[in-house]
Amino acid sequence: MDAVRLLGWLVLSALAPGAAHLRAGWRRTGLVLLSCYAVGLLGLLAVVLSAGDITSLLGSLVDDTWLSAITFGSALLGIAWFALMVHSFVVLRPGGLRQAEQIVTGTLAGLLSVAVLAPFAVATHTVWTLKQAANSIFHDVQPDPQAQGEKLTERRRDPWAGRARVNILLLGGDADDNRPGVRTDSMNVASIDVRTGNTALISLPRNLEEVRFRPGTPMAERFPDGFRLPVDPGGGRSDLLNSVWEYADAHPEIFGGKRKQGPEVLMDTIGYTLGLDMDWYALVNMWGFARLIDAIGGVTLTVEQDVVFGKYNEGLVKAGTRRLKGADAMWYARSRTNSSDYIRMHRQRCVIGALLDQADPATVLSRFTHVAAATKELIQTDIPRAMLSNLVPLALKVKDAKVTSIQLVPPLIQTYDPDWDKIRKLTQKAIRESTGAQPVAVKTPAGIPTKSPKATKKAAAPTQGLTDGCGRL
């Protein structure tokens, strides 16, 4: 056999294991290898077809057991395929070639063996990185033994327990080395239809005053007339909505000595304010978010006008449409210079919308290691690890579904004197408009003051697409 034919059979063996063995007369070995290969392909096809749709399959693949199996299997298969290529070269008897041809074919065979191994190595590294990132962000919740049996079976059949919507509190934390605690300066509730992925994004202002707490809770007992504290020595206020987490963490005595109650208190408070049952929260470190933007190669934004930032106004994000790095995107979203909280909320919404639009699967996969590393430093959440296999398909639905948003800011809502009943009605309106459902009756719970019927009637207000209004003054 000449060198060209030998290399041809070797390439064919890379695509159809066993071909070289058949050519070399190793019929039994060749047939076994080809049969195993065919069975493997049919098994993979069966798995894909049985999954029903690609989103369900992706959801299953982020299960910890599957990730471990894929990591081990990919590594093992890569080594086996590498060994197969080496053995295929040997059985084709390269010793019958001239010395120069042996050197050339041996070198090319080695390169081909490495090329065959490379995809498996990349897959092993990628899946292992995903497993590590998922396990560092999402944590297992120890099940109550009494919650097993029928409840567990029902949960597997319907992970949403019969609920039509899931409500997730998305927070942007403004932690600072020079200040203890966490200030949640960006607060949005994503209310997601679990069937369609249609989402209503409700944005709350950081400076909402006299926040009311659910009756019967420790915070309601401490602040029966709303969250109110003396003015700070510098003239600022530490009793706004963005301070609830920090205050709860700083006063464990209110909760019988229990520490780190901030997330639970803020979730309950915002849920009570909006009239929604909150499922989970996700706290994003705002500057970690900048690292995530850098990890996907930046984000394209239209900056409506020059945005000045920095302690001495030394920074500038120039107006115009271009791809921004993470730091510039964050300064665009968060700069307070010559700006109000409500303009900042608008810019933050534009950044989130642009990221959702531009973080397509191909981009994320091509830069996956960078994305995973940034994400591990970015997110704090109480979403259970076991729910990730259900949330991945839901997140993919959201990306392609209708996302409407509403900002509960002036003149719609006066932050210094909020109309709590109006806030709840606007929330329900936004959810209805995201699904096209008919109006529903809204009850105002005890403890939430209401304005006059005339004032509430003016609640008709605007929901809009996530990126509506972005890119223009």
Side-chain angles (χ1 to χ4, degrees):
M1 182 185 301
D2 59 34
V4 174
R5 289 183 180 179
L6 187 149
L7 289 173
W9 280 103
L10 200 59
V11 170
L12 183 59
S13 290
L15 302 175
H21 291 77
L22 287 174
R23 174 64 180 81
W26 293 48
R27 294 181 57 81
R28 183 177 297 177
T29 303
L31 289 173
V32 168
L33 289 171
L34 282 171
S35 298
C36 292
Y37 182 58
V39 169
L41 288 179
L42 290 174
L44 181 61
L45 180 62
V47 169
V48 173
L49 293 177
S50 64
D53 62 83
I54 190 64
T55 57
S56 298
L57 178 60
L58 290 175
S60 299
L61 292 180
V62 296
D63 179 81
D64 193 61
T65 302
W66 271 103
L67 290 176
S68 297
I70 293 170
T71 301
F72 177 76
S74 181
L76 185 62
L77 194 57
I79 294 170
W81 215 301
F82 178 85
L84 172 66
M85 293 304 299
V86 173
H87 194 257
S88 297
F89 179 68
V90 172
V91 300
L92 288 171
R93 300 184 182 92
L97 300 175
R98 289 175 298 186
Q99 185 175 9
E101 291 177 329
Q102 290 182 35
I103 294 173
V104 172
T105 54
T107 301
L108 292 177
L111 292 174
L112 184 59
S113 299
V114 172
V116 166
L117 176 62
F120 295 99
V122 171
T124 301
H125 176 69
T126 299
V127 175
W128 177 256
T129 302
L130 173 59
K131 174 182 166 67
Q132 294 294 98
N135 290 341
S136 67
I137 297 170
F138 304 93
H139 302 285
D140 288 321
V141 176
Q142 295 299 324
D144 182 349
Q146 296 181 352
Q148 303 302 311
E150 293 183 2
K151 289 185 178 180
L152 183 57
T153 302
E154 177 64 26
R155 190 72 174 176
R156 287 172 177 166
R157 184 167 60 246
D158 178 13
W160 312 117
R163 298 187 59 184
R165 306 191 71 82
V166 170
N167 301 311
I168 303 177
L169 177 59
L170 306 175
L171 304 167
D174 190 19
D176 193 304
D177 293 338
N178 300 319
R179 186 188 65 211
V182 175
R183 298 267 184 144
T184 52
D185 277 357
S186 175
M187 290 166 283
N188 298 274
V189 173
S191 181
I192 308 168
D193 186 308
V194 299
R195 183 179 61 86
T196 65
N198 290 344
T199 300
L201 190 68
I202 302 116
S203 301
L204 295 101
R206 61 185 289 276
N207 59 337
L208 200 64
E209 298 185 31
E210 298 185 5
V211 175
R212 303 302 170 110
F213 302 102
R214 192 182 301 277
T217 61
M219 288 291 280
E221 293 175 4
R222 171 67 66 93
F223 302 101
D225 298 320
F227 191 33
R228 202 69 178 173
L229 296 170
V231 177
D232 296 338
R237 303 209 63 94
S238 296
D239 54 10
L240 308 176
L241 180 61
N242 74 321
S243 302
V244 169
W245 177 318
E246 182 181 36
Y247 185 88
D249 274 355
H251 294 84
E253 71 279 2
I254 299 177
F255 311 98
K258 293 182 180 179
R259 297 186 176 277
K260 297 184 178 179
Q261 296 299 296
E264 183 177 341
V265 169
L266 184 60
M267 272 206 304
D268 185 68
T269 301
I270 289 180
Y272 181 59
T273 299
L274 300 179
L276 300 175
D277 293 325
M278 304 306 303
D279 292 287
W280 304 293
Y281 80 91
L283 172 68
V284 176
N285 178 290
M286 297 302 285
W287 291 109
F289 197 66
R291 289 193 289 276
L292 178 60
I293 291 175
D294 283 334
I296 66 167
V299 64
T300 300
L301 284 168
T302 296
V303 179
E304 302 91 337
Q305 58 186 19
D306 289 353
V307 176
V308 178
F309 64 86
K311 185 175 182 180
Y312 302 104
N313 297 336
E314 68 276 14
L316 176 67
V317 181
K318 292 185 178 180
T321 300
R322 63 185 181 283
R323 198 162 189 84
L324 298 181
K325 293 182 178 180
D328 283 340
M330 283 299 93
W331 278 121
Y332 165 75
R334 306 193 67 242
S335 175
R336 288 189 173 92
T337 305
N338 303 324
S339 181
S340 68
D341 282 339
Y342 315 120
I343 292 175
R344 292 173 68 228
M345 288 175 66
H346 163 79
R347 296 198 304 247
Q348 289 166 10
R349 180 168 57 84
C350 292
V351 172
I352 292 172
L355 190 60
L356 282 174
D357 288 340
Q358 296 167 41
D360 58 275
T363 299
V364 173
L365 286 173
S366 66
R367 306 177 65 89
F368 185 79
T369 301
H370 301 288
V371 171
T375 304
K376 284 197 294 185
E377 303 172 1
L378 170 67
I379 298 175
Q380 173 185 332
T381 183
D382 66 341
I383 296 174
R385 175 67 177 85
M387 284 303 299
L388 191 56
S389 59
N390 302 301
L391 286 172
V392 166
L394 185 61
L396 292 174
K397 287 182 182 178
V398 171
K399 182 168 177 56
D400 296 324
K402 177 183 179 183
V403 179
T404 58
S405 68
I406 185 169
Q407 298 186 69
L408 302 176
V409 299
L412 187 61
I413 296 295
Q414 299 301 331
T415 56
Y416 61 86
D417 185 24
D419 185 335
W420 306 106
D421 185 41
K422 182 178 179 181
I423 287 175
R424 291 174 62 85
K425 290 182 182 296
L426 288 170
T427 299
Q428 292 297 325
K429 179 177 182 291
I431 292 174
R432 289 197 306 271
E433 291 190 2
S434 74
T435 61
Q438 295 298 315
V440 295
V442 179
K443 294 182 179 180
T444 303
I448 290 228
T450 64
K451 302 291 183 181
S452 66
K454 183 177 180 181
T456 302
K457 191 175 181 180
K458 295 180 181 179
T463 58
Q464 55 187 339
L466 188 59
T467 57
D468 288 356
C470 296
R472 62 176 182 269
L473 295 176

